[in-house]
Amino acid sequence: MARATLIDGKAFAAGLRGRIGALAAAFAQVTGRRPGLAVVLVGEDPASQVYVGAKARACEEAGIASFEHRLSAGTSEAELLALIERLNRDDAVDGILVQMPLPGGLDEQAVIAAISPDKDVDGFHVINAGRLSVGQPGFVPCTPLGCIMLLKDRLGDLSGLEAVVIGRSNIVGKPMAQLLVEANATVTVAHSRTRNLAEVVRRADIVVAAVGRPEMVRADWIKPGASVIDVGINRLPPEEGKEKGRLVGDVAFAEVSAVAGAITPVPGGVGPMTIAVLLRNTLVAAHGHAGLELPEDI
Ligand code: NAD
C-alpha cells in the first residue's frame, strides 16, 4: 500500500532557525544589538509555562535576546497594560508576545490592542489581521505562516488547488484561509456548523485541520494523494500504568497516511514551525525598527 511522504516540520524548522541565527548575527554586527523578543506570561498555567520556556530557549539559540516577564495570576489589567506600554517604548524590544490564554478577568482583546502593531510578532492585532486580509505586508500569525511554508516547500505553486481548512479561529483557521487565497488556492473554510464535513474534505488537494479534536479526520475523508497539514495538539487520557497520555493531532495519522500523498506528524510537524516563525517575525521586526532591509526573504 502506498504511504504518504512525511512532511518533516522539525527538520524544516531547524533549517529556518539556522538561517535566522545567521541573519541575527549579521544584524547584531551592523547595529551593535541583538534582535529582542519580550515574552509575557501571566499566571501559572503549566502548558503556557512550557511554551514560554521553549520560546526563550529558541531565542537564545538563534542569537535573539529574550526578555521574560512572569506575572502573578492576580495581576490587574491596568498593570499588564502598563507593562506593554513600557515594552512598546523599549528600543531593545522588537517583538512582544503575550502568552494566551490569559487568566479570567483579563480582556485578551484589550491586551492585544495595546501592543504596538510593529511589535506584534504574533500577528494578532487587528491592524495586522486587516493587512493580511487586504494583502498588505504585516505580521502573520506564526502557526498558519509555518503551515503555508511547509505546503509551498512540498507543492511549489498552489495555484488552483482545492484547499479545505477545518477550523475558523482567529489565530489559525482564518489567517490560514487568507494565506491560501493569497497563494491562489480555491479555499473552503469548514467549522463546527459545516454540514457533510467528510464530503467537503474529500474534494481537497490540501487539508489543514485546526480543530482540537483527537483524530477526527479519517482516511475515508481524504482524496488519494492529498497533502494533509495537522495543526491539532491533543493529549489522550493516559494508558494503564502511564503517567501521561499520548499526543495526537486532529488527523487519524496511521490510517490517513495510507491515502494521503503527504502528511505532517504530531508531534514534529506544525508545532516546531510555530516557534521558528516567531523568531522569523522577530527578526523581521528588528530589521524594520533598524531601518534595514532583510538580506533574503525568509
Ligand atoms: P479553537 O478552539 O479556537 O478553534 C477550533 C475551531 O474548530 C473552531 O473554529 C470550530 O468552529 C472548529 N470546530 C470545532 N468542532 C468542530 C467539528 N466537530 N467539526 C468541524 N470544525 C469544528 O482552536 P485553535 O486555537 O484554532 O486550535 C486548534 C487546534 O490547533 C488545537 O488542538 C490547538 O491545540 C492546536 N494549535 C496548535 C498550534 C501549533 O503550534 N501546532 C498552534 C495553535 C493551535
Side-chain angles (χ1 to χ4, degrees):
M1 198 190 303
R3 298 291 297 180
T5 309
L6 207 64
I7 301 177
D8 188 344
K10 202 171 164 192
F12 190 98
L16 183 56
R17 282 159 65 158
R19 294 200 297 285
I20 292 166
L23 291 168
F27 176 90
Q29 273 217 317
V30 174
T31 63
R33 70 173 185 90
R34 293 188 292 167
L37 175 68
V39 181
V40 180
L41 173 63
V42 188
E44 275 93 45
D45 179 64
S48 293
Q49 289 187 339
V50 172
Y51 294 144
V52 164
K55 286 167 186 173
R57 272 196 307 282
C59 277
E60 290 301 331
E61 276 169 32
I64 291 174
S66 94
F67 308 103
E68 269 184 62
H69 296 268
R70 291 180 183 249
L71 309 180
S72 75
T75 301
S76 70
E77 195 167 303
E79 287 169 309
L80 180 55
L81 293 178
L83 170 62
I84 291 173
E85 228 3 86
R86 279 206 306 284
L87 297 173
N88 281 340
R89 286 196 305 269
D90 186 341
D91 290 338
V93 172
D94 295 297
I96 301 170
L97 178 149
V98 179
Q99 185 65 46
M100 303 291 171
L102 291 172
L106 297 175
D107 178 353
E108 292 186 351
Q109 287 311 317
V111 171
I112 291 168
I115 298 172
S116 176
D118 63 292
K119 296 193 176 186
D120 170 40
V121 285
D122 254 340
F124 294 165
H125 195 290
V126 288
I127 295 264
N128 284 313
R131 285 173 178 152
L132 176 61
S133 79
V134 296
Q136 285 178 10
F139 290 111
V140 175
C142 302
T143 301
L145 186 52
C147 293
I148 202 93
M149 285 178 181
L150 293 178
L151 283 168
K152 286 183 175 168
D153 181 61
R154 153 89 195 154
L155 297 170
D157 186 6
L158 309 186
S159 285
L161 294 180
E162 289 276 349
V164 173
V165 178
I166 319 174
R168 57 174 162 184
S169 70
N170 289 337
I171 64 165
V172 189
K174 281 184 203 157
M176 187 72 237
Q178 279 163 335
L179 287 168
L180 286 161
V181 169
E182 263 321 287
N184 301 315
T186 302
V187 183
T188 303
V189 180
H191 47 76
S192 52
R193 303 290 180 89
T194 296
R195 279 178 286 169
N196 305 326
L197 182 59
E199 217 169 277
V200 171
V201 174
R202 256 194 298 273
R203 59 173 189 249
D205 304 302
I206 295 170
V207 180
V208 180
V211 182
R213 288 183 160 231
E215 302 180 320
M216 181 183 83
V217 177
R218 313 305 307 194
D220 63 351
W221 299 23
I222 301 296
K223 175 162 134 182
S227 299
V228 179
I229 304 289
D230 190 353
V231 181
I233 302 177
N234 310 291
R235 196 170 285 284
L236 295 179
E239 285 161 30
E240 232 357 80
K242 295 257 171 71
E243 202 181 309
K244 268 188 178 177
R246 229 164 22 94
L247 275 187
V248 297
D250 291 345
V251 176
F253 180 83
E255 61 177 61
V256 169
S257 296
V259 183
I263 186 168
T264 58
V266 176
V270 174
M273 290 301 292
T274 298
I275 291 189
V277 174
L278 174 67
L279 304 179
R280 179 240 174 232
N281 283 356
T282 304
L283 185 73
V284 170
H287 280 75
H289 293 142
L292 295 172
E293 288 275 323
L294 254 186
E296 57 181 288
D297 189 23
I298 53 162

